[in-house]
């Protein structure tokens, strides 16, 4: 079987004939015969040998006589870091299941071997916040967020998928007023352990690997305490990966500390640029690129992925590569928009796009499995590009060849030194157990930006569904009364929390219209991973909205110091949320109001007194039209025609003055442009 790209990845998406046999694929390549190993080699031997004699090119031996290379651990992706799958859960069927099939279903699409998820910690972790299973010390809830659901859907499609968990932020109570998760090592280890136990108890999910703290400091004693805590709970099978940052200083620390060496199973580095360091190799531990790719899912992004999937092993002995992120299912104007393997950011329309990185992943994932082994004989091609070969030890062989050019395979990070790729012929010589007769040689003609998989397997396939609905903008009229008695997900559809956590809430004492609301549930700042705002905020809608009316019922729970807002034209989110501009209409429990041009409250358009107190419901209305804005409280104007020249457009939003309890109900937005 050969799955070949077109003449250039940059000109179109990779096309595939995944389930076709080698000989059929070779005819499609202008009669240039290609073959894999084992039984198919002899059938095309004569033209292949003739081709090898007639053209110049490098010769590359594929041989297992001297043993095998490292064990292959798989290709995967990250959901989280953060809130990158936020909009996926809102998709209607059958489109949601189709997206999941493209990601996880074996022999269909990306066919991922590994799913890594964020252990929600209530903090902003790139594109939003993900809720913790323990907002507070005595609070446990294993049904918040959507990562539990996503892991179950992945397991449903591939029961053998490897599951990993990693914290980015942590709930504030673990820090005891310090922005640091290692204040009490036992407490933090207990918190992480409960997430693993909860995954099993409530969702029948076995977590295979657990991390330390994403791209932040590690504490040697914490790692040891975590291992002891897991063992004490009977979780010996859960392996520890560290440190999900750089190769150093974790590698050197392991070489100097035999106990640390013993408790870490995998060294995981982020964006290693396909290279490792001497200390990491000296540990003899498994080496993973535990976060990589992070690139727009265009054809250039696909080229980036195709190059690193091969060269992470060739250059750095990395036996797993995990892409950030799984699916671009967050508002595109948030940081790193469309940096997923595929795009699914329109649940209101059902539209999604199966992008090129899905099929580039398939070149490896559909024709290998964790537990296979790389051959020792892998490497670079003479005129640019690379090749790897893997075997299951039972006679099957898969060869992946890439010739990604520098220009069309640049990743967002790290910096890629210049190199050249040119048209070439590559002759592969099969030896060892792969040589079944005397004719184990074949030649490939390779041009720039091509990706080939040659394999003895016949199980691959390019899955497809009917085209999803056409792309549509966010509805111009949108409302939500949050009247959901038993919500399947804790968050209201399409709201994307950027600081704080907004959850469905039931007012048991209120039999009236505000029995079911949306509540901001944090009253303390989390241990942050990014620069969370001092206020909580959740955005929604179309970033292009300019003229709009936002209405929402609000309920301040904190006497004297509490406050809430509604907003329009909010122009920033994610890790940039602190500097968000827009038009913000605030009311406070001390009987005042304020209109600001930014979330932080530095730009004040108007302020004054209103008849407002805590523990009562009020209806706020914000009207923005052209360069003017007005606001109403309970249907009466509080301020009118305040000039707002910037920003020109942005999302609608709700939020609170600080980390405080507050409720929202009967949200409605109407945009005219």
């Amino acid at each position: 079987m050969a799955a070949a790209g077109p003449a250039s990845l940059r000109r179109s998406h990779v096309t595939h004939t995944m389930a076709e046999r080698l000989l059929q694929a070779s005819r499609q390549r202008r009669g240039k015969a290609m073959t894999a190993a084992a039984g198919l080699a002899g059938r095309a031997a004569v033209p292949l040998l003739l081709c090898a004699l007639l053209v110049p090119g490098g010769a590359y031996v594929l041989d297992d006589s001297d043993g095998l290379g490292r064990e292959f651990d798989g290709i995967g992706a990250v959901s989280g870091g953060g809130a990158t799958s936020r909009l996926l859960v809102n998709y209607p069927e059958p489109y949601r299941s189709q997206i999941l099939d493209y990601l996880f279903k074996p022999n269909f699409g990306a066919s991922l071997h590994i799913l890594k998820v964020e252990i929600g910690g209530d903090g902003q972790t790139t594109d939003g916040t993900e809720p913790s299973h323990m907002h507070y010390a005595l609070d446990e809830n294993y049904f918040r967020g959507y990562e539990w659901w996503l892991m179950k859907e992945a397991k449903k499609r591939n029961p053998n998928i490897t599951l990993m968990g990693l914290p980015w932020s942590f709930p504030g109570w673990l820090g005891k007023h310090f922005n640091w998760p290692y204040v009490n090592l036992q407490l933090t280890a207990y918190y992480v352990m409960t997430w693993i136990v909860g995954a099993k108890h409530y969702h029948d999910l076995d977590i295979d690997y657990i991390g330390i703290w994403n791209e932040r400091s590690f504490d040697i004693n914490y790692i040891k305490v975590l291992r002891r805590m897991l063992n004490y709970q009977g979780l010996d099978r859960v392996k520890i990966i560290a440190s999900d940052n750089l190769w150093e200083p974790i590698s050197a620390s392991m070489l100097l500390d035999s106990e640390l060496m013993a408790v870490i199973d995998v060294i995981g580095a982020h964006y290693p640029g396909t290279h490792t360091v001497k200390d990491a190799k000296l540990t003899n531990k498994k080496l993973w690129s535990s976060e990589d790719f992070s690139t727009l899912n265009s054809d250039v992004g696909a080229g980036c992925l195709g190059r690193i999937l091969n060269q992470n092993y060739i250059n750095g002995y990395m036996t797993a590569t995990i892409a950030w992120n799984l699916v671009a299912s967050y508002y595109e104007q948030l940081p790193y928009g469309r940096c997923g393997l595929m795009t699914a950011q329109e649940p209101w329309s059902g539209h999604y796009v199966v992008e090129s990185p899905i099929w580039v992943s398939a070149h490896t994932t559909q024709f290998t499995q964790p537990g296979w082994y790389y051959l020792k004989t892998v490497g670079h091609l003479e005129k640019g590009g690379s090749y790897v070969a893997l075997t299951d030890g039972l006679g099957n062989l898969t060869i992946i060849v890439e010739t990604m050019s520098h220009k069309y395979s640049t990743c967002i990070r790290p910096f890629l030194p210049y190199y050249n790729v040119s048209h070439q012929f590559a002759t592969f010589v099969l030896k060892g157990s792969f040589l079944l007769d005397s004719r184990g040689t074949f030649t490939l003609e390779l041009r720039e930006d091509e990706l080939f998989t040659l394999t003895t397997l016949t199980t691959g396939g390019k899955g497809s569904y009917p085209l999803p609905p056409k792309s549509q903008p966010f509805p111009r009229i949108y409302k939500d009364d949050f009247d959901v008695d038993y919500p399947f997900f804790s968050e209201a559809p399409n709201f994307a929390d950027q600081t704080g956590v907004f959850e469905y809430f039931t007012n048991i004492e209120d039999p009236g219209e505000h029995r079911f609301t949306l509540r901001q549930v944090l009253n303390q700042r989390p241990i942050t991973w990014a620069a969370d705002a001092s206020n909580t905020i959740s955005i929604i809608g179309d970033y292009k909205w300019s003229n709009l009316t936002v209405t929402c019922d609000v309920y301040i729970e904190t006497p004297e110091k509490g406050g809430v807002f509604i907003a329009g034209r909010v122009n920033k989110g994610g890790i940039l949320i602190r500097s968000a501009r827009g038009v913000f209409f605030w009311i406070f429990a001390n009987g005042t109001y304020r209109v600001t041009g930014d979330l932080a409250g530095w730009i004040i358009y108007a302020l004054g007194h209103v008849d407002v107190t805590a523990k009562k419901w009020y209806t706020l209305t914000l009207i923005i039209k052209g360069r003017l804005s007005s606001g109403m409280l309970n249907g009466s104007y509080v301020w009118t025609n305040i000039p707002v020249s910037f920003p020109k457009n942005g999302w609608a939003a709700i939020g609170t003055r600080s980390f405080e309890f507050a409720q929202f109900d009967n949200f409605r937005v109407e945009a005219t442009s």
Side-chain angles (χ1 to χ4, degrees), residues 5-38:
S8 172
L9 268 170
R10 63 180 178 270
R11 288 206 296 264
S12 66
H13 292 297
V14 187
T15 57
H16 301 267
T17 51
M18 287 273 186
E20 294 182 0
R21 300 210 174 246
L22 276 167
L23 207 54
Q24 183 179 351
S26 70
R27 293 193 191 103
Q28 293 178 343
R29 286 279 289 160
R30 300 173 300 282
K32 295 287 194 303
M34 299 175 290
T35 185

Side-chain angles (χ1 to χ4, degrees), residues 38-205:
L40 293 176
R43 288 177 17 197
V46 175
L48 287 170
L49 283 171
L50 181 62
C51 183
L53 291 170
L54 292 177
V55 298
Y60 310 97
V61 175
L62 302 176
D63 190 0
D64 62 353
S65 300
D66 190 32
L68 298 171
R70 293 195 173 209
E71 183 180 6
F72 174 64
D73 295 306
I75 306 300
V78 183
S79 172
T84 53
S85 305
R86 176 67 194 92
L87 298 175
L88 175 62
V89 298
N90 307 337
Y91 263 80
E93 294 293 355
Y95 310 115
R96 189 173 70 175
S97 290
Q98 291 173 4
I99 294 163
L100 293 164
D101 284 351
Y102 279 116
L103 295 168
F104 301 117
K105 188 176 178 180
N107 302 314
F108 189 84
S111 306
L112 295 173
H113 304 135
I114 301 169
L115 173 60
K116 177 178 180 178
V117 304
E118 176 176 351
I119 299 176
D122 295 336
Q124 169 61 246
T125 54
T126 297
D127 291 298
T129 67
E130 298 202 26
S132 171
H133 62 288
M134 295 180 73
H135 294 316
Y136 307 100
L138 300 178
D139 159 71
E140 289 186 59
N141 184 323
Y142 298 91
F143 294 91
R144 293 187 183 121
Y146 38 83
E147 303 296 5
W148 315 104
W149 166 83
L150 185 63
M151 287 189 284
K152 286 190 288 188
E153 292 295 326
K155 275 281 185 184
K156 189 186 300 181
R157 288 161 174 80
N158 177 7
N160 297 319
I161 198 167
T162 297
L163 297 179
M164 303 174 62
L166 175 66
W168 269 250
S169 64
F170 295 84
W173 61 273
L174 286 173
K176 298 185 182 295
H177 306 294
F178 292 94
N179 197 42
W180 192 245
Y182 306 130
V183 173
N184 184 323
L185 304 184
Q186 293 280 349
L187 200 58
T188 300
Y190 171 81
Y191 166 80
V192 171
M193 179 274 295
T194 59
W195 184 86
I196 299 171
V197 171
K200 181 63 175 178
H201 182 76
Y202 293 98
H203 303 286
D204 196 26
L205 293 167

Side-chain angles (χ1 to χ4, degrees), residues 16 82 101 107 119 152 215 231 263 300 334 359 403 408 423 564 630 641 670:
H16 301 267
D101 284 351
N107 302 314
I119 299 176
K152 286 190 288 188
E215 295 175 0
N231 292 351
V263 300
V300 174
L334 289 168
W359 304 119
T403 56
Y408 292 103
H423 179 219
V564 297
S630 304
N641 296 330
E670 181 173 351

Side-chain angles (χ1 to χ4, degrees), residues 52 59 61 67 71 94 113 116 158 190 232 255 265 322 337 348 350 378 436 456 485 488 492 508 535 544 561 576 656:
V61 175
E71 183 180 6
H113 304 135
K116 177 178 180 178
N158 177 7
Y190 171 81
Y232 180 75
L255 292 172
D265 299 277
I322 301 173
W348 48 87
V378 300
L436 298 185
T456 55
D485 202 346
F488 193 80
I508 299 174
N535 335 84
K544 296 177 182 177
K561 295 182 179 180
L576 306 174
T656 65

